[in-house]
Amino acid sequence: MSNENKSIHEFDFNLICDYFSSLNRQVILSKEVTLKALSFIDNLSEKSVIADIGCGTGGQTLVLAQHTQAKISAIDLFPTFIDKLNQSTVALNLQNRVRGIVGSMDQLQFADNELDLLWSEGAIYNIGFERGINEWRKFIKTGGYLAVSEASWFTETRPTEIEAFWNTAYPEIDTIANKVLQMQKAGYVPVATFILPEYCWIDNFYLPQIATQEAFLKKYAGNKNVEDFIANERNEMQLYYKHKAHYGYVFYIGKKL
Ligand code: SAH
C-alpha cells in the first residue's frame, strides 16, 4: 500500500468510472443542498432551459427536474453515467423534459444566451473554476443564473499536510472571498454562497464508499492498482476528518449582469 498522495487522475479511467458509478452521487452533495441552491434562483417556468454540466448519474438533475418545470439538458463525459441517468428519467416519466447527453464541458453546444440557469455540482474543477465561469457565461441569458459548487478553503492559513494534498488534487482551491471576487470579475452578481454541511461529506460521500471499497478489494484481489486506488480514497477520507475545519465544498450562485 502506498501512503503518498496521488491525484485521482493518475488511476485507470475505467476503474474510477466503475467505482463511482456504483454510488448514487459521485461527489459529496445532497438533495437538501440542491434545493437550497435552487431556492436562490428566480423566475423559472416551463419555458426555462437549464443545463446541468458534469451531471454524473444525475442525482441532482432529477431533483432539479422534480422541483422545476424547466427543460433540462444534462451533460457528462462518461456514457455509463448518462445511460444511468436516461434510465432514471424514463422510470420517473421525465424523459420529455430531461435529456442526458454525452459531451464535454469544454465544448458545450448551447447557443449564446440560451440558458436560464447553468448548474454544475462538484464538476467545474475538471476545467477549473475560473475558466468554467468565464467560458460558460456566454450561454447564459442576461439575468440568468450560474450555480456551481467548488472545493474551497474556509481559513486564511492551513496545516501543511492538507495544503500539500490539495496542491496535488486541485491547486485552484481558494478561499470563498477569492472565488466570489472571480465571479464578480467574470460578470456575475454574487447572489449567494453557502458551505455544504459536513454530513454531505461523511454520510453521503465517504461512508457509502466503505462497502464499495471492500467489494472492490474482493473483486480485484491482488490487483496493486486497485489496492493503491482504494488506499488513496481512504487516505482522502482520513484527511477530511482531520482537517475539515479548513476546507469543504461551497455553493456559488451568481446572476449574469
Ligand atoms: N454532478 C454530479 C457528479 C459530479 S462528479 C453529482 O453531483 O453527483 C464530476 C463529474 O464530472 C463526473 O461525473 C465526471 O464524469 C464529469 N466530468 C469530468 N470531466 C468532464 C468533462 N470534460 N465534461 C463533462 N463532464 C465531465
Side-chain angles (χ1 to χ4, degrees), residues 9 53-54 75 77 103-108 118-139 146 148-150 169-173 179 182 188 249:
H9 309 292
I53 310 300
I75 291 161
L77 198 55
S104 184
M105 60 177 74
D106 56 5
Q107 287 170 16
L108 295 177
L118 190 152
W119 198 272
S120 184
E121 288 194 43
I124 194 170
Y125 70 88
N126 286 294
I127 55 168
F129 181 85
E130 196 165 20
R131 176 179 166 196
I133 62 171
N134 279 284
E135 279 188 14
W136 295 346
R137 185 175 179 275
K138 62 178 180 290
F139 302 123
L146 169 90
V148 298
S149 60
E150 164 84 339
Y170 183 55
E172 216 184 308
I173 187 172
K179 299 259 176 210
Q182 288 174 357
Y188 299 93
Y249 248 79

Side-chain angles (χ1 to χ4, degrees), residues 25-27 54-56 60 76-78 81 104-105 121-122 126:
R25 299 294 300 264
Q26 287 69 52
V27 284
C55 61
Q60 74 295 316
D76 201 281
L77 198 55
F78 294 168
F81 291 169
S104 184
M105 60 177 74
E121 288 194 43
N126 286 294

Side-chain angles (χ1 to χ4, degrees), residues 79-211:
T80 320
F81 291 169
I82 292 297
D83 285 348
K84 212 167 169 185
L85 165 61
N86 284 333
Q87 283 161 18
S88 305
T89 60
V90 171
L92 295 167
N93 201 23
L94 290 165
Q95 70 276 17
N96 295 332
R97 282 200 295 123
V98 183
R99 219 156 45 102
I101 304 160
V102 176
S104 184
M105 60 177 74
D106 56 5
Q107 287 170 16
L108 295 177
Q109 302 296 317
F110 300 106
D112 288 1
N113 305 307
E114 182 179 345
L115 304 173
D116 296 277
L117 170 60
L118 190 152
W119 198 272
S120 184
E121 288 194 43
I124 194 170
Y125 70 88
N126 286 294
I127 55 168
F129 181 85
E130 196 165 20
R131 176 179 166 196
I133 62 171
N134 279 284
E135 279 188 14
W136 295 346
R137 185 175 179 275
K138 62 178 180 290
F139 302 123
I140 305 171
K141 286 177 187 158
T142 303
Y145 288 87
L146 169 90
V148 298
S149 60
E150 164 84 339
S152 309
W153 294 127
F154 300 158
T155 52
E156 195 54 34
T157 53
R158 283 82 49 176
T160 319
E161 181 181 44
I162 197 63
E163 290 254 359
F165 171 81
W166 278 101
N167 274 335
T168 309
Y170 183 55
E172 216 184 308
I173 187 172
D174 206 338
T175 59
I176 299 172
N178 285 342
K179 299 259 176 210
V180 167
L181 189 59
Q182 288 174 357
M183 283 179 84
Q184 200 166 294
K185 284 188 174 155
Y188 299 93
V189 176
V191 172
T193 68
F194 65 91
I195 293 175
L196 273 59
E198 282 177 14
Y199 75 76
C200 293
W201 293 78
I202 295 168
D203 301 353
N204 299 359
F205 186 58
Y206 287 131
L207 294 183
Q209 288 188 46
I210 290 172

Side-chain angles (χ1 to χ4, degrees), residues 46-65:
E46 73 285 349
K47 295 201 181 95
S48 303
V49 180
I50 300 176
D52 182 9
I53 310 300
C55 61
T57 56
Q60 74 295 316
T61 318
L62 300 174
V63 175
L64 292 173

